[in-house]
Amino acid sequence: MTLSYDLYWSFRSPYSYLLTPRLVALEAEFDVRCNVRIVYPIAVRQADFFANADPLWFSYFMRDVFRCGEYLGVPIRWPVPDPVVMDFATRTYPAEQPHIFRLSQLGQAAAEAGKGLAFISEVSKTIWSGSVDNWHQGDHLAAAARRAGLDLADLDAVVARDTDRLDAAIKASQEAQRAGGHYGVPLMVFDGEPFFGQDRFDQMQWRMQQKGLSAR
């Protein structure tokens, strides 16, 4: 029997990026299906979320992100440009965002086309691995979509035609995310049990093994 789980995932989350290769490998080796549910970053959902954070939160976060990448053997560099634009004077995030809404809606369209995991894997590598600058220009995203088995022009057409519907689907996933047990990403919910963070992957796989996870 094919097992399945919901993955709540954001294009602005380095931990989401660091987790994704293990999810791809899991699905390749075992009879399991990832139901990708794109959500907007917390910075978009709550523009002042980081404004009053203790400075130690950010310094530890930055140290931990790059340490995790080194530990996992996953190349990582803060994206150029950042998928979410911040006002550095106020440490808040303006409502007008040039990248994250399109990225998120493309991800939702890819998930609806049955290629969600492949798409977020290839696009997040393009954005986060440090292999390219200006990931939003040229054919970087188009090439990532092709590697995922999709056509970026087709996805963009869906976004242009169904922007409101895709936005509503993302916001519905945000509500389902909280109902699943957490507000952060990456969040995996398997058999009603939440596993928050890239460091909970092994525990989710362990639980799946208890529930009959089988090799392909």
Side-chain angles (χ1 to χ4, degrees):
M1 180 182 68
T2 301
L3 301 181
S4 65
Y5 66 98
D6 288 339
L7 171 68
Y8 298 92
W9 194 98
S10 162
F11 283 97
R12 209 279 177 111
S13 163
Y15 291 122
S16 289
Y17 159 66
L18 290 171
L19 170 67
T20 304
R22 281 168 284 168
L23 301 180
V24 171
L26 178 73
E27 193 163 298
E29 184 175 356
F30 295 99
D31 189 13
V32 62
R33 179 176 58 81
C34 175
N35 178 30
V36 173
R37 302 196 67 168
I38 301 296
V39 298
Y40 292 127
I42 195 70
V44 171
R45 289 187 257 172
Q46 188 176 333
D48 62 349
F49 183 84
F50 299 105
N52 300 312
D54 190 302
L56 285 175
W57 183 94
F58 185 73
S59 63
Y60 181 84
F61 166 78
M62 293 301 287
R63 171 176 288 185
D64 188 58
V65 162
F66 296 106
R67 176 177 59 200
C68 286
E70 182 181 3
Y71 176 75
L72 295 167
V74 178
I76 183 168
R77 185 191 68 183
W78 202 264
V80 181
D82 192 321
V84 177
V85 175
M86 184 179 79
D87 182 337
F88 286 96
T90 62
R91 296 194 62 80
T92 60
Y93 295 83
E96 295 297 321
Q97 290 288 335
H99 308 302
I100 194 61
F101 294 111
R102 178 191 178 213
L103 278 174
S104 300
Q105 291 163 13
L106 287 172
Q108 177 64 29
E112 293 176 1
K115 300 280 189 177
L117 185 58
F119 184 79
I120 65 173
S121 174
E122 294 298 339
V123 171
S124 64
K125 280 189 288 188
T126 299
I127 293 172
W128 285 96
S129 70
S131 60
V132 301
D133 288 328
N134 297 313
W135 53 265
H136 63 308
Q137 296 177 348
D139 67 348
H140 297 310
L141 289 180
R146 283 195 300 272
R147 292 193 297 271
L150 293 163
D151 184 276
L152 184 64
D154 291 343
L155 293 175
D156 272 325
V158 173
V159 170
R161 184 180 67 242
D162 297 333
T163 300
D164 291 344
R165 182 186 63 76
L166 294 170
D167 180 65
I170 292 167
K171 290 176 178 175
S173 288
Q174 292 169 181
E175 295 177 4
Q177 178 185 19
R178 293 190 66 89
H182 207 279
Y183 58 86
V185 293
L187 176 68
M188 301 157 283
V189 179
F190 169 65
D191 198 27
E193 184 175 6
F195 299 85
F196 167 62
Q198 63 87 23
D199 54 345
R200 291 296 178 264
F201 170 79
D202 290 339
Q203 291 185 10
M204 183 184 72
Q205 185 171 355
W206 164 75
R207 184 68 82 202
M208 287 178 168
Q209 290 166 342
Q210 292 179 332
K211 301 285 186 176
L213 181 67
S214 60
R216 290 195 181 277

